[in-house]
Amino acid sequence: SSGINAEWPLRPGKSEDPLYVLENNLPIDTEYYLGNQLSKPLLRIFEPILGDKAEGILLKGDHTRAVTVVHSKAGALAAFTKKKATCVGCKAVLKREGSAVCDSCKGKASDIYQKEISQLYNLEEKFNRLWTQCQRCQGSLHEEVLCTSRDCPIFYMRMKVQIDLQAQDNIVARFGEVSW
């Protein structure tokens, strides 16, 4: 083992396997992680250089205000919710199951489809780059990747992209047979 802690904090006192977090789209307690795992080592490194203002520069300010909302697939309340299909274009709840866009987005369906195909292509390209990197690491570009190293950040990036790729493929599949 390389000494890397292969667990991500979800809330103080609780951590989960990163693969489980990725597969179930669990939110990560970033405040806890930043405050307890990253801030202290960063301050030890940068205080000699930046002085007393190191904390203000590194840990506070506009660059720390990104908010990401994650919708968990697992948990107590997830069992009582029912996901409804939404328009790929405007995210409005669809009246008809099985369609990709709502009535107001029908005129823009080809543009929306092209955007989703482009996103699918980008994810495929990213996955292929990561896959090739894993093949190089294991020493063969002609064999399946057998890596399950939980100490390798590429492993988690590849798993995340694979999950995103499957979700994007499902979005594109909602358009069905395209004939415009």
Side-chain angles (χ1 to χ4, degrees), residues 59-78:
L59 306 176
K60 295 180 174 87
D62 290 338
H63 66 283
T64 63
R65 294 193 180 141
V67 176
T68 305
V69 178
V70 178
H71 301 285
S72 176
K73 295 179 190 172
L77 290 178

Side-chain angles (χ1 to χ4, degrees), residues 7-12 14-34 37-38 66-72 156 160:
E7 293 188 343
W8 290 350
L10 297 173
R11 55 187 174 280
K14 182 172 187 228
S15 59
E16 287 286 352
D17 172 49
L19 196 54
Y20 180 79
V21 171
L22 285 175
E23 289 171 348
N24 292 289
N25 204 24
L26 295 175
I28 297 171
D29 188 348
T30 54
E31 291 294 321
Y32 173 79
Y33 188 69
L34 290 172
Q37 301 291 342
L38 292 176
V67 176
T68 305
V69 178
V70 178
H71 301 285
S72 176
Y156 292 106
K160 172 72 171 130

Side-chain angles (χ1 to χ4, degrees), residues 55-143:
E55 186 172 0
I57 293 170
L58 294 174
L59 306 176
K60 295 180 174 87
D62 290 338
H63 66 283
T64 63
R65 294 193 180 141
V67 176
T68 305
V69 178
V70 178
H71 301 285
S72 176
K73 295 179 190 172
L77 290 178
F80 297 101
T81 61
K82 183 177 185 227
K83 186 169 171 84
K84 293 196 173 210
T86 58
C87 174
V88 176
C90 68
K91 306 296 183 220
V93 175
L94 294 173
K95 294 175 184 150
R96 295 184 318 269
E97 287 288 322
S99 60
V101 293
C102 65
D103 293 337
S104 56
C105 289
K106 273 213 192 297
K108 301 180 280 185
S110 63
D111 292 335
I112 294 168
Y113 180 75
Q114 287 175 347
K115 184 181 125 232
E116 297 302 325
I117 287 290
S118 176
Q119 178 68 17
L120 181 67
Y121 173 76
N122 290 337
L123 286 168
E124 286 174 342
E125 189 176 27
K126 189 174 183 180
F127 180 78
N128 289 338
R129 279 195 314 270
L130 293 167
W131 183 268
T132 303
Q133 194 169 352
C134 289
Q135 284 179 313
R136 284 189 182 120
C137 180
Q138 76 179 16
S140 174
L141 294 174
H142 304 291
E143 294 180 20

